[in-house]
């Protein structure tokens, strides 16, 4: 194998190892074998082209991540770019350290890949290492938003029609999903797809605008799981940024 071919294959192999770990760290689903192989092949080609056009080398990682995770939404792709960069730096640092110890380049690469594989298995088998990562991702049409989440055991709201649990999101988050709406706190002028939910809180009874997102994912214990939830929009008096997730939604 010629030196140029070794360079291409080596970069493709390293990318193919960094992408799954980056996705796992970001809470994304595995991209699948076909997309992973396509992204790895693109990484090898762009690495070779980067020798002559450095800009292609810089764009290689974002393009490969997009190719692998594009079906999971823009927010997932952005997260995966950051975590895959970290995984790549870890892999490259391990290879460099092993080369300095006098190992053959292929042996150093193999040992680094094994290390990264063990880290992937650790995260998969022991999800408690990411226990503090708790988020909610909502998608409406082509728009999606990710919010920090707090499990609210006091949130007992359910939709009286579907019996589905109802999470509460800030007003600003709802505007990000429905930017065309003039005002979501005017109950007489809600956009299509909204209806009102009667709620009773410590402050008294009232009505909240509610909608059903096209997709909803919970990121709990380092894992991404789809949930069937409705979303109620809090009033202006709620100044937090967190989504309030009912405990029953996690149990279900």
């Amino acid at each position: 194998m010629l030196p140029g071919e070794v360079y291409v294959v080596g970069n493709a192999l390293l990318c193919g190892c960094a992408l799954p770990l980056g996705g796992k760290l970001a809470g994304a689903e595995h991209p699948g074998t076909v997309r992973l192989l396509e992204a790895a092949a693109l990484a090898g080609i762009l690495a070779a082209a980067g020798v002559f056009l450095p800009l292609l080398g810089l764009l290689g990682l974002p393009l490969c991540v997009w190719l692998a995770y594009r079906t999971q939404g823009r927010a997932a792709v952005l997260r995966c770019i950051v975590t895959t960069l970290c995984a790549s730096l870890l892999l490259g640092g391990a290879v460099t350290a092993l080369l300095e110890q006098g190992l053959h380049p292929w042996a150093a690469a193999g040992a680094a890949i094994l290390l990264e594989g063990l880290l992937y298995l650790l995260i998969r088998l022991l999800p408690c290492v990411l226990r503090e990562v708790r988020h909610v991702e909502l998608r409406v049409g082509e728009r999606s938003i990710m919010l920090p989440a707090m499990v609210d055991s006091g949130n007992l709201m359910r939709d009286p029609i579907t019996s589905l649990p109802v999470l509460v999101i800030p007003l600003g988050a709802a505007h990000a999903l429905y930017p065309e709406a003039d005002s979501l706190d005017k109950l007489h002028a809600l956009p299509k797809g909204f209806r009102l939910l009667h709620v009773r809180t410590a402050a008294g009874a009232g009505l909240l605008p509610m909608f059903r997102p096209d997709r909803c994912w919970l990121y709990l214990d380092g894992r991404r799981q789809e949930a069937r939830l409705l979303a109620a929009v809090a009033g202006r008096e709620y100044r937090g940024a967190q989504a309030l997730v009912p405990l029953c939604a996690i149990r279900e």
Side-chain angles (χ1 to χ4, degrees):
M1 187 178 290
L2 298 176
E5 295 174 335
V6 172
Y7 184 72
V8 171
V9 172
N11 278 279
L13 184 61
L14 294 178
C15 178
C17 295
L19 278 172
L21 179 58
K24 193 66 178 177
L25 290 171
E29 298 174 0
H30 192 280
T33 304
V34 175
R35 288 196 182 94
L36 187 61
L37 290 176
E38 290 175 348
L42 178 63
I45 294 172
L46 291 179
V51 175
F52 306 99
L53 298 172
L55 181 60
L56 286 179
L58 293 175
L59 295 176
L61 187 139
L63 289 175
C64 293
V65 172
W66 175 84
L67 184 62
Y69 294 100
R70 64 187 185 279
T71 60
Q72 301 187 36
R74 185 184 305 173
V77 170
L78 292 176
R79 293 194 310 275
C80 289
I81 288 175
V82 176
T83 53
T84 303
L85 175 61
C86 295
S88 301
L89 293 174
L90 173 64
L91 192 58
V95 171
T96 301
L98 293 172
L99 287 175
E100 291 178 351
Q101 298 300 318
L103 265 70
H104 187 274
W106 283 113
I113 291 172
L114 178 61
L115 174 64
E116 195 133 327
L118 291 174
L119 181 57
Y120 179 88
L121 289 176
L122 176 65
I123 296 173
R124 183 171 182 176
L125 297 176
L126 300 175
C128 60
V129 297
L130 296 177
R131 197 169 185 85
E132 297 303 319
V133 179
R134 293 181 175 179
H135 292 82
V136 169
E137 184 176 356
L138 301 175
R139 178 178 294 179
V140 175
E142 297 298 323
R143 300 185 181 95
S144 64
I145 188 171
M146 176 166 284
L147 299 168
M150 182 177 70
V151 179
D152 184 5
S153 58
N155 182 357
L156 304 178
M157 294 189 299
R158 283 185 178 269
D159 176 31
I161 298 177
T162 63
S163 296
L164 292 177
V166 178
L167 64 87
V168 180
I169 64 173
L171 184 60
H175 277 300
L177 294 172
Y178 292 91
E180 68 280 0
D182 294 333
S183 180
L184 292 173
D185 56 352
K186 293 181 180 178
L187 302 185
H188 63 281
L190 293 174
K192 184 179 179 180
F194 275 75
R195 51 193 171 90
L196 298 177
L197 176 69
H198 183 270
V199 299
R200 187 177 298 276
T201 65
L207 296 172
L208 290 181
M210 181 179 66
F211 66 95
R212 184 167 185 172
D214 296 334
R215 303 289 295 273
C216 176
W217 294 277
L218 301 179
Y219 292 79
L220 298 172
D221 296 335
R223 305 181 71 176
R224 183 194 197 202
Q225 62 185 49
E226 189 164 2
R228 297 178 65 225
L229 293 171
L230 278 79
V233 183
R236 296 184 182 276
E237 65 277 4
Y238 178 61
R239 301 185 180 277
Q242 292 178 317
L244 305 180
V245 181
L247 182 60
C248 62
I250 299 174
R251 290 175 179 169
E252 293 176 1

